[in-house]
Amino acid sequence: MEIKSASFVTSMSSYAAPGPALPEIAVAGKSNVGKSSLINNFCRRKALAKTSATPGKTRLINLFLLNEAFYLVDLPGYGFAKVDKQEKLRWGGMMEGYFRETNQLRLTLHLVDIRHEPTQDDVQMNAFLRGSGLPFLVIATKADKISRGARMKNLAPICRALQVQPWQVICYSSETGDGRDQLLEAIEKALAEQAE
Ligand SMILES: Nc1nc2c(ncn2[C@@H]2O[C@H](COP(=O)(O)OP(=O)(O)O)[C@@H](O)[C@H]2O)c(=O)[nH]1
Ligand SMILES: [Mg+2]
């Protein structure tokens, strides 16, 4: 698979199934983990998804249409330190609403920063996906920020916290495009499996 076309479809504060109905690949993770950057790098587009050095900007669900064949769903980031209880509840409602309402979800990409041990929020997100029986793939982002030699060492606490094996994790750099081929393959597989 190659990405031949990518376009922004819509932003929404609560999920409503888009038309036409097509398979969806969701992108979840903490604020600032690199969700928007990964979407841009994956689509080979500079500013398809808005990135920010200030966390907590994406409070909406953003939908992108790829190859006229499937949607990437940029979910609102969690774990933003400065949000109050109200905001947390709103976030939870949005996420729950998405996972409840969509009939098209094929795979959730769960992004975590390769440099840090997963937080309580990361573990909760992982537990939610696992508990709901939703297929997910752990992506360790910002892989360019550590040396290749340090990858295995950094993956250890991530794998322990999220109960996955190192070979199940894709190390991704939105700076260098490292991991993009692996992700293309994984998405292609997820889209094909459900079409059977
Ligand atoms: N070096 C490096 N920086 C990254 C990478 N991905 C994201 N960033 C930076 O991390 C910050 C947050 O990225 P963004 O994509 O907006 O995160 P989001 O909140 O999860 O959508 C931005 O300053 C990005 O430039 C990466 O793979 N490598
Ligand atoms: Mg974002």
Side-chain angles (χ1 to χ4, degrees):
M1 183 173 72
E2 228 344 298
I3 303 303
K4 296 188 199 82
S5 68
S7 58
F8 169 76
V9 180
T10 186
S11 285
M12 42 203 178
S13 57
S14 70
Y15 177 82
L22 291 168
E24 294 171 9
I25 307 289
V27 185
K30 266 191 336 194
S31 297
N32 223 33
V33 72
K35 296 179 295 299
S36 303
S37 302
L38 179 138
I39 290 171
N40 288 333
N41 179 268
F42 185 73
C43 297
R44 295 223 157 110
R45 293 274 297 273
K46 276 218 158 63
L48 186 63
K50 285 193 193 93
T51 62
S52 170
T54 338
K57 283 278 189 278
T58 317
R59 305 287 177 89
L60 297 167
I61 295 172
N62 295 307
L63 235 75
F64 303 91
L65 175 63
L66 276 67
N67 289 358
E68 312 287 328
F70 67 98
Y71 296 107
L72 276 185
V73 184
D74 188 6
L75 293 170
Y78 55 78
F80 180 43
K82 280 186 205 140
V83 303
D84 53 23
K85 204 172 165 194
Q86 196 84 17
E87 187 67 30
K88 270 196 176 162
L89 284 172
R90 208 177 68 84
W91 178 87
M94 239 167 129
M95 295 291 276
E96 266 170 31
Y98 172 69
F99 288 107
R100 188 179 58 238
E101 298 297 328
T102 180
N103 299 315
Q104 295 290 341
L105 183 60
R106 300 296 194 257
L107 179 67
T108 299
L109 310 178
H110 185 197
L111 275 53
V112 293
D113 192 316
I114 198 163
R115 297 168 300 170
H116 308 303
E117 196 167 325
T119 62
Q120 200 62 39
D121 291 320
D122 289 323
V123 172
Q124 255 180 43
M125 181 76 228
N126 175 264
F128 171 78
L129 293 169
R130 200 180 285 282
S132 311
L134 295 166
F136 66 89
L137 179 62
V138 175
I139 312 259
T141 63
K142 311 193 185 183
D144 58 281
K145 297 231 187 204
I146 63 165
S147 72
R148 269 187 180 265
R151 279 188 186 181
M152 279 320 241
K153 185 176 144 279
N154 281 51
L155 284 182
I158 293 173
C159 289
R160 210 176 307 125
L162 306 183
Q163 297 172 50
V164 289
Q165 299 300 321
W167 47 267
Q168 296 175 305
V169 178
I170 296 180
C171 295
Y172 203 105
S173 167
S174 297
E175 290 286 314
T176 67
D178 204 2
R180 186 174 177 274
D181 288 345
Q182 261 179 290
L183 183 56
L184 273 167
E185 210 173 294
I187 289 178
E188 185 168 31
K189 189 162 160 270
L191 294 173
E193 268 169 12
Q194 298 288 329
E196 278 165 13

